[in-house]
Amino acid sequence: MVFESEDAAKSFYDEYAKRVGFITRIVSSRRSERDGSVISRRLACNKQGFRKLGQVRIRKRESTKEGCMAMMRVNRQKPGKWVVTKFVKEHSHPLVISAGKQRPTPDEKDKKIRELTSELNRANQRLAACQAQVQMFMKLIEDHTQHLSGTVEVSVHNVKEIESEKQELTLSHHRFDQVYQ
C-alpha cells in the first residue's frame, strides 16, 4: 500500500485497528541523517513487547504489553510517498471490539484542545471583568472610608469644641455664682 503522508498511514492503521479490535502506538521512528526528517515509522499493537524485568512501575495499573507482534512499518520512498514495507496481521491475544466510546483521533483531540482553549480564554475574560469590578468596588469603599474618616474627625473636633465651651460656661457660671453669693 502507498500513502500520501506519514499521517495518512497512521490514520489508516488506527482505523484498521479500531475495526479489528486493538489499539495502536508508535513503536519507533527513523530519521534522515541529512535533514532529520522522519523516513521510517513502525506502528504496532499497544500490547507489543514486554515490560522489562526490574523496571520500576510508576503507574499503578497493570502493563498491557503481552509480546504481540502485530505491526505495520512504513518507509518514505520519495517525497509524498509512504510505502508499507512490512505488515504483521496476527495478534498473540484476543481482540476486543469495543461498543463503548472509542479513543479520540488526533483531529478530535486537536478540536477538543481548541474548544477548551477558547473556553479558557472566555473564562479569563470574564475573570478580568470581575477583577475590574472588584477593584472599582474597592476604590469606592476606600473613597467612602476616607470621607467617613474626615466626617468623624470633624465630628470629634466639634464635640471637643462644644465640651470646651461647656467647660468654659460651667467655670463662668461657677465664678458668677461665687461673685453674687
Side-chain angles (χ1 to χ4, degrees):
M1 288 185 80
V2 178
F3 298 96
E4 298 297 316
S5 69
E6 171 192 356
D7 288 337
K10 180 162 181 4
S11 293
F12 169 80
Y13 197 60
D14 286 343
E15 189 57 39
Y16 167 75
K18 195 184 298 184
R19 280 188 276 116
V20 173
F22 67 100
I23 298 170
T24 67
R25 66 184 174 102
I26 298 171
V27 177
S28 64
S29 298
R30 220 175 97 223
R31 295 190 175 273
S32 166
E33 291 178 3
R34 193 174 0 173
D35 63 6
S37 65
V38 175
I39 58 173
S40 177
R41 175 121 330 160
R42 190 161 65 106
L43 309 167
C45 174
N46 74 329
K47 296 185 183 230
Q48 183 269 338
F50 293 98
R51 187 170 64 87
K52 294 175 186 167
L53 293 176
Q55 183 180 19
V56 177
R57 284 185 19 202
I58 297 170
R59 297 185 200 175
K60 292 184 180 177
R61 65 181 181 197
E62 289 297 315
S63 173
T64 60
K65 295 182 177 183
E66 297 182 13
C68 183
M69 298 304 290
M71 58 83 72
M72 179 175 89
R73 182 177 34 229
V74 290
N75 291 347
R76 186 177 72 197
Q77 297 293 322
K78 39 185 145 166
K81 298 293 178 198
W82 287 78
V83 178
V84 176
T85 57
K86 186 171 183 180
F87 182 80
V88 177
K89 181 180 178 180
E90 295 76 28
H91 292 264
S92 61
H93 56 88
L95 300 174
V96 179
I97 300 174
S98 173
K101 188 173 182 179
Q102 300 293 326
R103 289 181 113 188
T105 64
D107 287 340
E108 291 169 334
K109 287 179 184 177
D110 289 343
K111 181 181 177 188
K112 187 66 174 177
I113 288 170
R114 283 191 302 274
E115 288 172 358
L116 291 172
T117 300
S118 177
E119 186 178 326
L120 179 61
N121 287 336
R122 286 190 303 275
N124 284 338
Q125 288 171 350
R126 288 191 307 270
L127 176 61
C130 288
Q131 286 173 331
Q133 287 179 339
V134 166
Q135 287 173 345
M136 185 176 69
F137 184 69
M138 294 301 290
K139 176 69 173 133
L140 288 171
I141 289 174
E142 184 180 328
D143 291 347
H144 188 67
T145 302
Q146 286 178 351
H147 175 72
L148 286 176
S149 294
T151 303
V152 166
E153 196 174 303
V154 167
S155 297
V156 166
H157 178 72
N158 290 341
V159 166
K160 284 182 180 179
E161 276 185 8
I162 292 170
E163 286 178 347
S164 177
E165 288 174 10
K166 182 181 175 187
Q167 193 173 18
E168 284 179 24
L169 281 173
T170 304
L171 278 173
S172 293
H173 192 299
H174 186 57
R175 278 191 226 130
F176 181 78
D177 283 345
Q178 285 179 346
V179 169
Y180 291 105
Q181 281 188 1

